[in-house]
Structure formats: C-alpha cells, structure tokens
Amino acid sequence: MTEFEISRYLASSLADEQRGPEDTVLEYIRAYQKWARDCEAWAKAHPGQIEKLQRGAARETLSLIQKKYCSAKNRQFQRASTGYFFYGGTFQASPVVESCEEQGHRLCSVTTRKAGHSPSFRFRLERHGKAWLIASIERKDGTGRWVPDTL
C-alpha cells in the first residue's frame, strides 16, 4: 500500500516554527482530506477489505499526520468499517478561517467554516515549543451548540 506514503500528505507543509495556528489547522485539514480521499478510493478498489485500511499503512499514515499537527494524546484509529473516512462534511469542503483568537501566548482557538455556511469546526491549539498543535476539536450541532468531535 505505497499509496499512503506520508510525503504525499505533507508535501506543502511549512516548518514548525513558521506555522501559525491558522496554518496548522488548514494544513491539517488539507492533509486529512487527501488521506480520506485516498482511503475512499482504496476502499472502492478493494471491496470488503476495509480492515486492511484500519490495520495497515493507512492507519500508520493517519498516526503520522496527527503526530505532526496534533498534541500527543491517545488517538485510536476511529474510522468504522462503514467507510466513513472523513470529518462531518469536510471531505469535499474548502474550509476558510472564520476567526483566530489567542488566549495567552500558549493557547489559541481557530474557528473554520465551509464557504457560504456558518462556522463548522472550532479547533483548540496549544503551543509546544515552536509549534502550534491541535489539542481538540468541536463542531456545531443542529441546535447551534459546540460539541466535542473526534480528532
């Protein structure tokens, strides 16, 4: 499964010290979306073999993407065998940053939205050394409340 080579997803990434909170979120979304599209294509080409994605190179690549952009936490491979490889609606979306609010010099909140829609996701970031890393993510539910989402 060489189609999940990590360099495919990090090719246009900035160096950690050059990446601000907004850059971190947008780069993560781009890398994740590309990975999700590759997973979906692979699943279509290999019907009935989703478990290979969950235990193989795709899982390892997702872990490396998360290691680059997310703070260190126990993040289990969370994609079920239904083929749902993407965060609610971001798969084909081109998100834009709605707001970026720094809460001190080590914490930040970045809210994104899909063009033409209300805010979709709120990313909480922490500064680790010279890098901004995503600590958690929330999404708006049907009632307009922010609810935790899986990262």
Side-chain angles (χ1 to χ4, degrees):
M1 285 216 275
T2 58
E3 61 263 318
F4 293 104
E5 182 62 40
I6 188 66
S7 61
R8 291 175 40 85
Y9 309 101
L10 304 181
S12 62
S13 66
L14 296 170
D16 287 349
E17 59 274 3
Q18 295 175 327
R19 211 174 50 242
E22 294 175 26
D23 298 321
T24 298
V25 168
L26 294 175
E27 279 188 21
Y28 174 72
I29 291 171
R30 279 192 299 271
Y32 186 88
Q33 286 175 338
K34 189 171 190 172
W35 174 85
R37 285 190 296 272
D38 287 352
C39 286
E40 185 173 50
W42 192 93
K44 285 179 182 176
H46 303 87
Q49 298 182 30
I50 298 286
E51 70 282 350
K52 286 187 180 180
L53 287 176
Q54 294 173 325
R55 289 192 220 117
R59 179 181 181 169
E60 293 168 19
T61 299
L62 178 60
S63 294
L64 292 172
I65 291 169
Q66 289 175 331
K67 185 176 181 179
K68 175 154 182 83
Y69 296 109
C70 302
S71 60
K73 294 188 178 180
N74 183 15
R75 304 190 196 286
Q76 297 298 316
F77 190 74
Q78 299 180 22
R79 302 296 164 247
S81 60
T82 60
Y84 185 77
F85 302 113
F86 53 93
Y87 290 126
T90 64
F91 179 51
Q92 297 293 350
S94 295
V96 295
V97 172
E98 178 79 5
S99 67
C100 180
E101 301 171 16
E102 289 198 35
Q103 297 134 356
H105 67 283
R106 299 189 60 77
L107 299 173
C108 188
S109 177
V110 175
T111 304
T112 62
R113 66 177 171 80
K114 295 183 271 183
H117 294 82
S118 61
S120 305
F121 294 96
R122 181 167 54 192
F123 294 83
R124 306 270 184 195
L125 291 93
E126 301 170 343
R127 189 163 185 93
H128 291 265
K130 295 181 180 182
W132 284 99
L133 299 176
I134 300 167
S136 65
I137 184 173
E138 298 171 305
R139 64 174 170 75
K140 277 214 172 168
D141 67 5
T143 65
R145 290 187 344 235
W146 289 106
V147 295
D149 204 346
T150 55
L151 183 62

